[in-house]
Amino acid sequence: MKMFFDIHTHSPSSSNQVCAIQNRYPTSDHFSSPFSIGLHPWFLKKETFENEILLMEQKLQHPNCFAIGECGLDKAIETDFDFQKEIFVQQIHFSEKYQKPVIIHCVRAFQEIIEIRKSQKPSQPWIVHGFQKDKQLAFDLIKNGFYLSFGEAILKSTRVQEAISVISMDTFFLETDNAEVSIHEIYQKISDIKQVTLQELQEQLQTNFTHIFRS
Ligand SMILES: [Zn+2]
């Protein structure tokens, strides 16, 4: 039986055929299945971040921690951008110290994220989750060493469908995030777009997963 990999979700895995990485916050206390942990830019507060960083560093040493994140930069919110960058870079340091890949939330700050990767020269993979931009940005990110993760947008957006149709099979992951879709549906759509069988896609994504995430 081939597995489905859902690398970013806010719900528990509903099937033993799905390996899901559930997004957790430092203040969560459920760590019985694979998770990622991070400080999301939406919830950053100057009053609470120091404590959250401390909690995060403890919890990311849990054996079920598969990744740092989601964390990143967001220009659509009012939170001070330099503060966002500072907290993002702290989490990048955790990623390097504990050898965990990073799941990135990025809104209107792609050039800044690319610049930070160039200046930090990390050894760990960075994955831009919920990618819904065009093929040019997809190529730019991949050229700069990023991986992409696609979710619900792939079902509707022709721009995202075009992006995935032109990138190579070893550069991406799939996710449900907080959408009301199953990971099976997203796999099915990608197999249609990439003109591979569902089984071939499953094999490829399993390879991508074991290559990037600690097994
Ligand atoms: Zn999410």
Side-chain angles (χ1 to χ4, degrees):
M1 187 174 67
K2 289 256 172 295
M3 294 292 287
F4 293 90
F5 291 88
D6 183 351
I7 70 138
H8 179 77
T9 177
H10 294 262
S11 335
S13 171
S14 51
S15 144
N16 59 7
Q17 225 188 324
V18 179
C19 172
I21 298 180
Q22 214 179 331
N23 191 74
R24 296 290 189 196
Y25 299 100
T27 48
S28 307
D29 52 6
H30 297 288
F31 299 104
S32 56
S33 55
F35 68 90
S36 64
I37 191 160
L39 273 64
H40 192 298
W42 290 356
F43 308 117
L44 285 183
K45 287 203 187 72
K46 298 215 161 139
E47 309 80 61
T48 53
F49 82 90
E50 284 173 327
N51 185 45
E52 287 169 348
I53 287 277
L54 288 174
L55 288 171
M56 177 178 169
E57 188 166 14
Q58 292 164 9
K59 287 165 181 174
L60 66 83
Q61 298 173 63
H62 189 289
N64 283 335
C65 180
F66 276 56
I68 303 291
E70 59 185 294
C71 58
L73 300 177
D74 192 326
K75 282 195 176 163
I77 57 173
E78 286 179 2
T79 309
D80 179 66
F81 196 68
D82 285 330
F83 176 51
Q84 291 190 39
K85 270 203 243 180
E86 179 193 324
I87 304 302
F88 177 62
V89 170
Q90 283 197 36
Q91 296 180 87
I92 294 312
H93 293 156
F94 283 160
S95 154
E96 293 296 303
K97 181 173 175 188
Y98 295 99
Q99 300 286 290
K100 309 271 185 199
V102 186
I103 295 174
I104 292 179
H105 167 99
C106 184
V107 176
R108 297 191 217 147
F110 288 100
Q111 289 320 309
E112 288 84 351
I113 289 273
I114 290 171
E115 287 312 314
I116 293 172
R117 188 166 170 95
K118 279 183 182 163
S119 66
Q120 296 284 325
K121 300 185 178 61
S123 66
Q124 287 299 303
W126 293 11
I127 303 157
V128 172
H129 106 84
F131 187 81
Q132 31 186 300
K133 298 295 179 183
D134 64 8
K135 65 178 177 188
Q136 190 52 54
L137 182 60
F139 280 139
D140 278 356
L141 287 166
I142 291 165
K143 186 183 73 193
N144 282 288
F146 288 80
Y147 293 81
L148 305 179
S149 178
F150 296 90
E152 189 188 24
I154 196 73
L155 302 176
K156 300 172 231 165
S157 161
T158 51
R159 175 177 75 180
V160 183
Q161 290 164 1
E162 192 190 4
I164 201 153
S165 71
V166 294
I167 63 171
S168 108
M169 293 289 277
D170 57 1
T171 58
F172 68 87
F173 297 93
L174 301 177
E175 65 179 52
T176 56
D177 200 1
N178 49 13
E180 294 284 317
V181 290
S182 71
I183 195 71
H184 306 65
E185 256 178 280
I186 293 171
Y187 266 72
Q188 192 58 59
K189 184 72 186 180
I190 302 289
S191 81
D192 295 344
I193 296 171
K194 298 298 268 181
Q195 300 182 332
V196 295
T197 66
L198 186 59
Q199 188 172 348
E200 286 165 341
L201 180 64
Q202 285 183 295
E203 279 165 12
Q204 177 68 51
L205 291 180
Q206 175 143 12
T207 303
N208 296 357
F209 188 89
T210 49
H211 180 60
I212 296 302
F213 295 94
R214 178 206 64 133
S215 47

